[in-house]
Every structure is written in C-alpha cells, then in structure tokens.
Amino acid sequence: MQRMVKSIIKHRELIWQLTKRDVVGRYKGSWLGLLWAVVTPFGMIALYGFVFGVVMGVRWQRGDTATGTEFVGPMFAGMIVFLFVSECISRAPGVVVGHAELVKKVAFPTEALCSAIVAAALVQAMISLVLLWLWLLVSGRGASWQFFAFVFPWIPLILFALGTTFFLAALGVFVRDISQVTGLLNSALLLLSPVMYPLSAVPESFRPIVQANPLTPFVETVRSLTVFGQAPELAPSIFIIVIGVTAFVLGSYAFARSQHAFVDVL
C-alpha cells in the first residue's frame, strides 16, 4: 500500500496528463464536445425522474405526496456514487491489456493507468455534484452547508474505487473473460443498493442483502449530506472508512504482486 501511494504521488503529473487525455478524448469530434459532461447527467435526471418519480411514484418518505420532482434529488445523489464506481469497474479489466505497448516499457508505472481511470470518473462525478447542487437550488429544496461536507465520504469512496480498479485491472490481464462479467456486476451494484429507492422500502427480511452491498453506506452517506442536510452517524462513517481502506490495501497488494507478470502474459 505504501509503495502504491508513493508511486501515485510521484507520478501525479503523468496521471494528470492521462486523465486530461481521457476526458478530452472521449468527447473529441462530437458536436457538443465537453458539454456532453453536462448534458448527459441532465438527460439522466429527466429520464429516471420521470420513470421512477412520476410513473412508478417512488417516494423517499412514507406518506409523501410530493410530485415526482422531489424524487430526483435523492435519486441523483445515489446515481452519482454508482456511476463513479461503475465506470471504474467497467474500464478496469481492459486498461492494462489495452495499453500493452506502454506496460512493456520497464520504466512505465502501470498503476498510473488505473489511477487515471479513477481520476477521469471523478471529474464527471464532480460535474454531476455541481449539477445536483444547482438542481436543489432551482427546485426550491435548497442546499444546506452540509452539502459541502460531501468531501468526507468521497475520500474513502475514491480509495474503494482505486482498490477495485487495481484488482480488476490485474485480474483482467490473466482472465480476459472478466470484462464480460463487469456488466452483470454493475447491474447488481445498482439494483441491490438504495439508489432508486429508499432503504426503508426494502422488506426487513431482504434488507441485509442490500446492506451487504459495499455501495450502500456510501450512497446513504452522500445522500444524507447533500440532499437531506443530515450529518452522518458515527458507525456508518467508520464503516465507509474501513471499506475504502480495506479495498485499497487488498487491491494494491494484488496489483503489486502480479505486476511483474504482466509483460509475460501480454
């Protein structure tokens, strides 16, 4: 873990350049360019808000008779967390294989590729958080000062994303089929976490399944701070720190132990 942290700090300029190339490259040649980073979340707000808030009538409080627009804020806060992690999971298995020409260079820090994936996903997440803040203001719900405490849960969330990316990137070199599994994994993370429904709506007998999802405490904490203006309780706060640090340690260890074999397999 210590070696990985030092490497990330040492190669921060390289990671920044890879991240910038990633963010700019994905919109290069399109008519709207980087504006897609804003248009896409707005389209997602409209789609999910209509389907789940209006058609299905999902509410975050029992007996809530508010319109479907009241559903958008809590849902969008959870989606930001999910989309950040899901992008890392989707791209991780192919990142080393896709940059084989760089990996085969002895002096190239392979972990920078994984870090750039997380950083690029983080850029989109921060843009979405700004849009969430604007939505809360425009919709009349308002944004309390606790909104800006979102930094607290995002630090362990970034560690969780980094650890997961390191692990899947290493695994993807040796097991190419893992790329086919990530879609199912992301679907499970979305549907089995309280992103588009409140945790209270889950029957108590099935609630442990949702609570076992590593995304659940992050979704609940980010939503509480940004949308409901509630400070997180001590136990969940400690829990997300433990999840983030544990994932980073295990993922870093797996990546470092298998890194020397990448060239032979590629």
Side-chain angles (χ1 to χ4, degrees):
M1 173 182 174
Q2 187 176 9
R3 189 192 71 81
M4 194 67 71
V5 172
K6 288 182 178 179
S7 178
I8 292 174
I9 296 174
K10 178 181 178 180
H11 300 102
R12 59 186 181 277
E13 182 62 30
L14 172 62
I15 294 172
W16 165 245
Q17 293 299 327
L18 291 171
T19 301
K20 185 166 64 173
R21 187 181 70 174
D22 188 316
V23 173
V24 174
R26 72 177 65 187
Y27 303 114
K28 187 177 181 180
S30 61
W31 286 359
L32 296 182
L34 289 174
L35 281 177
W36 278 113
V38 177
V39 174
T40 301
F42 266 128
M44 184 183 65
I45 288 176
L47 177 62
Y48 283 100
F50 174 75
V51 173
F52 290 92
V54 178
V55 177
M56 299 183 65
V58 177
R59 297 294 180 265
W60 293 96
Q61 296 178 356
R62 186 168 297 178
D64 187 2
T65 58
T67 62
T69 56
E70 292 295 315
F71 166 82
V72 171
M75 178 275 300
F76 191 37
M79 284 297 294
I80 294 173
V81 174
F82 165 73
L83 290 175
F84 169 66
V85 175
S86 68
E87 180 176 345
C88 297
I89 290 176
S90 298
R91 299 182 61 191
V95 64
V96 176
V97 177
H99 294 84
E101 71 286 353
L102 293 176
V103 176
K104 291 179 181 180
K105 296 180 179 180
V106 178
F108 186 82
T110 314
E111 57 272 12
L113 295 171
C114 299
S115 302
I117 285 180
V118 176
L122 184 62
V123 170
Q124 179 62 66
M126 293 301 103
I127 294 174
S128 297
L129 280 169
V130 172
L131 295 178
L132 173 61
W133 181 70
L134 292 174
W135 172 267
L136 293 174
L137 293 180
V138 171
S139 65
R141 193 177 192 120
S144 64
W145 66 267
Q146 286 94 338
F147 183 98
F148 301 98
F150 71 82
V151 175
F152 162 69
W154 274 87
I155 293 175
L157 181 59
I158 292 171
L159 290 177
F160 174 77
L162 276 170
T164 304
T165 302
F166 283 136
F167 177 76
L168 291 176
L171 186 62
V173 175
F174 306 99
V175 185
R176 303 296 173 89
D177 292 350
I178 195 66
S179 297
Q180 310 303 321
V181 180
T182 53
L184 179 61
L185 177 60
N186 278 331
S187 296
L189 286 175
L190 174 62
L191 297 177
L192 296 179
S193 63
V195 172
M196 291 178 288
Y197 55 82
L199 187 58
S200 58
V202 181
E204 288 196 19
S205 57
F206 295 102
R207 201 168 295 176
I209 299 176
V210 177
Q211 292 173 327
N213 187 330
L215 279 192
T216 295
F218 291 108
V219 169
E220 291 286 275
T221 303
V222 170
R223 178 181 291 137
S224 296
L225 285 170
T226 57
V227 179
F228 299 125
Q230 300 172 350
E233 298 180 0
L234 180 60
S237 300
I238 295 176
F239 189 43
I240 62 175
I241 293 174
V242 171
I243 293 176
V245 173
T246 301
F248 182 73
V249 170
L250 294 179
S252 300
Y253 178 78
F255 191 86
R257 285 298 300 268
S258 56
Q259 197 171 14
H260 67 279
F262 288 170
V263 175
D264 297 332
V265 176
L266 295 174

